[in-house]
Amino acid sequence: MKEKGRFGDYGGFYVPEVLIPVLEELEGAFYRFYEDEQFVAELGQLSKEYAGRPSPLYYAKRFSDYVGCRVYLKREDLLHGGAHKVNNTLGQGLLAKYMGKTKLIAETGAGQHGLATAMIGALFGMETKIFMGVTDIERQSVNVHKMKLCGAEVVDVEGGTGTLKDAINDALRYWTAHVRDTFYLFGSTCGPHPYPTIVKHFQICIGKEARRQSLEQIGRLPDMIVACVGGGSNAIGIFSGFVDDKNVRLIGVEAGGRSLSSGRHAATLVAGRVGILHGAKAYLLQDEEGQVYDTESVSAGLDYPSVGPEHCLLKDTGRAEYVAAEDEEVLDAFELLSKTEGILPALESAHALAYMMSQKGKLSSEQVAVVNLSGRGDKDVSIVEKRRPLEQ
Ligand SMILES: *Cc1c(COP(=O)(O)O)cnc(C)c1O
């Protein structure tokens, strides 16, 4: 059983007995429907008409002039909900419907996945519960309100530090008792098998489109693909389109630096050690005693103490490179893209842009980078305003 869903030695299925039949039912349903003609047609139509796919590939000329190479943006920020998250919630929501489930549950940290799930709950008329730590509820009140407007119930999670990892624990616990009618819509390419495989499948559209658009618009493949990494879903989505093209560098950018309050590293792949969290073996942020700790970065959407198992393997094999961007560099990138292109990036996506800024002067003008602009920054304006007040 532990051999299922392996990426090298990573991933797997480390869960309590009660969850095994539940995850097996999900795995069976996924393989029954994911290539089913009707399922594929329905998902394709909703992706186009509800979510807004395909998203454009855009040549950011003025941003490129700053960096010194040609930078293209994969515009996931233009999708409904303002990020790539809708690709996954639409796919899993439809799977839930095909399985005959009538209720959705999901975990959320920053509220983005909770909101993307609440949207789909409304779309399919499913009762939706979002598990969210009390600390996050307080920090993300606007998203909490939006979820409620979409008809979802937000469940307070009091345990632990009241953040994402506690919300996942409570959602898994709730699921075991309500599995007959309830589908657990997981938010990223982590957690136990089959979630890393399912979430990747629904995000592969990013990479497929980006590859086709590169050939059409640029006339060749890019030299590098750059994406931010939280749990890893937007990055795996775009990497997967190019992973077999050995000359295309794949670069994942994590939230980095040391936390001001704890002095600990925040970048899982750059500074983590292998362990097991939420049913999967992966790199984890843990202290000397093996205690998992929360990350703290300017972008709440990258605050997850582990990372998807496939990224762990891509790191070990060297096929992808992982770097970290510090908060101040990320804020610089947020400002630069806003000023040069009139596009406010999500702070998560600004990590990938910060990497490009760090390459200023190091790349030739003919080199092409495709940056996955995973989301839009409207949600982050008040955070940026606090950290970088505008002069009058
Ligand atoms: C949630 C989120 C992320 C991080 O999640 P991944 O699974 O690593 O993609 C990145 N960007 C945006 C805009 C997000 O909302």
Side-chain angles (χ1 to χ4, degrees):
M1 191 60 74
K2 289 198 169 64
E3 295 315 306
K4 281 191 177 180
R6 287 283 177 182
F7 298 88
D9 189 36
Y10 301 106
F13 208 60
Y14 299 87
V15 294
E17 287 292 316
V18 286
L19 265 180
I20 291 175
V22 178
L23 291 166
E24 282 181 334
E25 183 200 1
L26 175 62
E27 181 194 41
F30 173 69
Y31 285 116
R32 183 156 72 250
F33 292 121
Y34 85 113
E35 287 182 323
D36 174 82
E37 208 174 309
Q38 194 186 333
F39 182 89
V40 171
E42 200 172 337
L43 182 58
Q45 183 169 8
L46 286 167
S47 296
K48 185 170 166 217
E49 297 170 6
Y50 183 78
R53 298 215 75 84
S55 69
L57 182 70
Y58 164 69
Y59 175 46
K61 175 157 189 326
R62 297 192 65 229
F63 184 81
S64 297
D65 287 345
Y66 175 89
V67 174
C69 76
R70 290 156 71 192
V71 181
Y72 287 76
L73 305 176
K74 180 62 175 154
R75 299 290 308 273
E76 296 296 293
D77 62 312
L78 292 176
L79 299 180
H80 175 51
H84 69 292
K85 292 216 161 63
V86 69
N87 303 326
N88 174 46
T89 55
L90 201 50
Q92 285 193 55
L94 195 63
L95 181 59
K97 204 177 107 175
Y98 275 62
M99 288 172 76
K101 307 287 181 188
T102 54
K103 296 176 182 171
L104 297 177
I105 58 168
E107 81 293 343
T108 199
Q112 295 304 110
H113 174 60
L115 180 56
T117 303
M119 281 162 16
I120 298 311
L123 173 69
F124 293 140
M126 289 179 173
E127 195 183 302
T128 304
K129 280 191 194 347
I130 306 297
F131 290 77
M132 191 169 186
V134 286
T135 312
D136 286 334
I137 289 181
E138 207 178 290
R139 287 193 291 205
Q140 308 288 342
S141 58
V142 176
N143 274 339
V144 171
H145 193 72
K146 288 182 183 171
M147 287 181 239
K148 289 180 178 167
L149 285 171
C150 293
E153 180 194 343
V154 178
V155 182
D156 300 18
V157 174
E158 312 249 354
T161 47
T163 55
L164 179 59
K165 72 174 160 45
D166 311 302
I168 295 176
N169 285 331
D170 269 31
L172 283 169
R173 204 170 302 133
Y174 177 93
W175 196 29
T176 58
H178 299 85
V179 66
R180 225 166 38 83
D181 60 0
T182 301
F183 184 99
Y184 183 3
L185 206 165
F186 200 76
S188 192
T189 42
C190 28
H193 176 70
Y195 283 110
T197 299
I198 292 181
V199 178
K200 175 188 178 178
H201 176 74
F202 292 129
Q203 295 292 359
I204 276 178
C205 52
I206 307 174
K208 277 193 183 149
E209 285 174 17
R211 192 175 193 284
R212 176 169 49 75
Q213 290 166 327
S214 296
L215 293 173
E216 281 169 13
Q217 294 173 226
I218 310 167
R220 66 172 175 93
L221 293 176
D223 299 293
M224 63 176 96
I225 305 293
V226 186
C228 67
V229 178
S233 70
N234 86 86
I236 278 295
I238 193 158
F239 285 3
S240 60
F242 301 89
V243 76
D244 295 330
D245 302 307
K246 295 288 180 251
N247 293 330
V248 181
R249 284 174 66 198
L250 306 175
I251 298 158
V253 188
E254 294 187 287
R258 281 173 189 268
S259 139
L260 291 176
S261 56
S262 64
R264 289 162 166 164
H265 274 291
T268 316
L269 284 159
V270 175
R273 290 187 292 126
V274 176
I276 292 169
L277 180 70
H278 298 137
K281 190 190 261 193
Y283 283 97
L284 299 181
L285 290 172
Q286 45 191 332
D287 64 18
E288 290 67 32
E289 270 84 58
Q291 191 69 36
V292 173
Y293 58 83
D294 280 311
T295 57
E296 294 161 64
S297 104
V298 67
S299 65
L302 298 184
D303 282 354
Y304 178 59
S306 184
V307 66
E310 193 169 0
H311 285 293
C312 301
L313 180 62
L314 288 170
K315 171 190 157 85
D316 288 0
T317 60
R319 177 63 191 94
E321 305 155 56
Y322 295 90
V323 296
E326 314 251 345
D327 285 358
E328 292 304 318
E329 302 172 287
V330 171
L331 291 162
D332 288 345
F334 180 97
E335 291 177 350
L336 183 66
L337 195 74
S338 303
K339 280 232 166 63
T340 55
E341 301 289 345
I343 298 171
L344 278 58
L347 282 170
E348 292 86 359
S349 323
H351 285 70
L353 298 164
Y355 172 79
M356 291 315 303
M357 284 177 73
S358 77
Q359 299 303 295
K360 178 178 167 62
K362 296 181 186 166
L363 303 166
S364 89
S365 60
E366 284 311 302
Q367 281 191 293
V368 174
V370 171
V371 174
N372 198 19
L373 201 69
S374 55
R376 67 171 181 238
D378 305 50
K379 67 184 177 57
D380 298 317
V381 168
S382 68
I383 300 171
V384 174
E385 198 184 354
K386 273 195 208 99
R387 299 279 297 257
R388 297 273 176 96
L390 295 175
E391 282 157 32
Q392 287 308 308

